Amino acid sequence: MTIANTIIIYNPDLNKKKDEIRYGLEWMISGLIQVILTLMVAIPLGVVTEAVVILISGAVLRMFSGGAHAKSYFKCLFLSLFQIIGISLVVKYTTVLNQYTPVFLFLLFISVMIMFIKAPVLHKKKDMFNSKEKRKLKYLSLFTFGMLFASGYLPYLSDFKYCIWLSLILQSFTLTFLWEKILSYGEDFKYKRFIKEDI
């Protein structure tokens, strides 16, 4: 990334941390794009608060737990947008979720088990962490999961409880092998079709 290279040129003592700087900048820029795009879609639909709560909950947990990525940045971006807006609309304009609280609590229990077993799931940045640092990220993931779950019972956030809970469930799902297969399905399908046409 040009910005990272510029930083290193003017701060050569940071050369050893070039990968960390690049990753941090990529995370910030992609996060900013997602926030802007989410707000652009959420405002006309009247679900701004719900979308922001879901976005923040998922992003904070993902910061520690990691998760599978699509090969295409835009595929990942629009899939996340679809999930955020979809959940926001369901929470805002339906009351059906209140009937299934025990189901959500069960799914949250499964989610925390997934988090305990799988987190952190690191891809591009996996070589940047040793085993001790990965263990620390696991504990931070579990702590963050617990804090976000509990925040759904706070006075000002209780109306957005299902936004937070569904965000936690979805984020834990991104740690699974099944989610990796779902994300890679489009690329695999195109590749197989391309090979078949060549033959």
Side-chain angles (χ1 to χ4, degrees):
M1 180 183 284
T2 305
I3 300 175
N5 291 333
T6 303
I7 291 172
I8 299 303
I9 289 171
Y10 290 99
N11 299 275
D13 53 311
L14 297 175
N15 190 55
K16 291 182 178 179
K17 295 187 176 181
K18 185 176 180 178
D19 290 336
E20 288 90 337
I21 292 170
R22 181 184 292 111
Y23 175 77
L25 289 170
E26 287 176 356
W27 194 86
M28 287 170 57
I29 293 169
S30 62
L32 182 61
I33 292 170
Q34 186 169 40
V35 169
I36 293 171
L37 188 59
T38 300
L39 290 176
M40 287 174 61
V41 177
I43 289 171
L45 295 174
V47 291
V48 174
T49 308
E50 288 79 7
V52 169
V53 170
I54 294 165
L55 184 59
I56 292 174
S57 301
V60 169
L61 182 56
R62 190 178 182 90
M63 186 167 58
F64 300 116
S65 70
H69 290 274
K71 290 182 181 179
S72 164
Y73 166 72
F74 290 103
K75 180 179 179 180
C76 211
L77 177 65
F78 287 112
L79 182 59
S80 297
L81 178 67
F82 177 78
Q83 291 173 340
I84 292 167
I85 297 301
I87 294 172
S88 299
L89 290 171
V90 170
V91 173
K92 176 84 172 184
Y93 296 114
T94 70
T95 57
V96 68
L97 299 182
N98 292 317
Q99 302 172 27
Y100 298 99
T101 299
V103 175
F104 284 112
L105 291 173
F106 175 73
L107 290 174
L108 284 163
F109 173 76
I110 298 298
S111 297
V112 80
M113 290 296 101
I114 292 172
M115 198 72 56
F116 178 76
I117 295 167
K118 301 286 290 183
V121 172
L122 308 169
H123 291 279
K124 289 183 179 180
K125 56 178 181 174
K126 63 183 178 181
D127 296 327
M128 294 163 52
F129 298 92
N130 58 39
S131 58
K132 183 178 179 180
E133 290 168 331
K134 289 176 182 177
R135 190 163 55 250
K136 181 180 178 181
L137 286 174
K138 181 187 292 290
Y139 295 147
L140 285 171
S141 299
L142 292 168
F143 176 77
T144 304
F145 188 102
M147 292 298 290
L148 288 169
F149 169 75
S151 70
Y153 289 102
L154 294 176
Y156 295 104
L157 288 174
S158 58
D159 291 341
F160 306 102
K161 176 173 65 180
Y162 293 109
C163 291
I164 297 170
W165 287 6
L166 283 166
S167 182
L168 296 178
I169 292 167
L170 280 174
Q171 177 53 31
S172 70
F173 188 54
T174 69
L175 306 181
T176 64
F177 176 73
L178 177 59
W179 184 249
E180 286 190 41
K181 297 300 291 182
I182 291 171
L183 287 181
S184 64
Y185 175 74
E187 288 85 358
D188 289 345
F189 178 74
K190 290 176 184 176
Y191 176 75
K192 289 174 183 175
R193 184 175 63 183
F194 179 74
I195 296 298
K196 187 175 180 180
E197 287 173 354
D198 276 359
I199 294 172

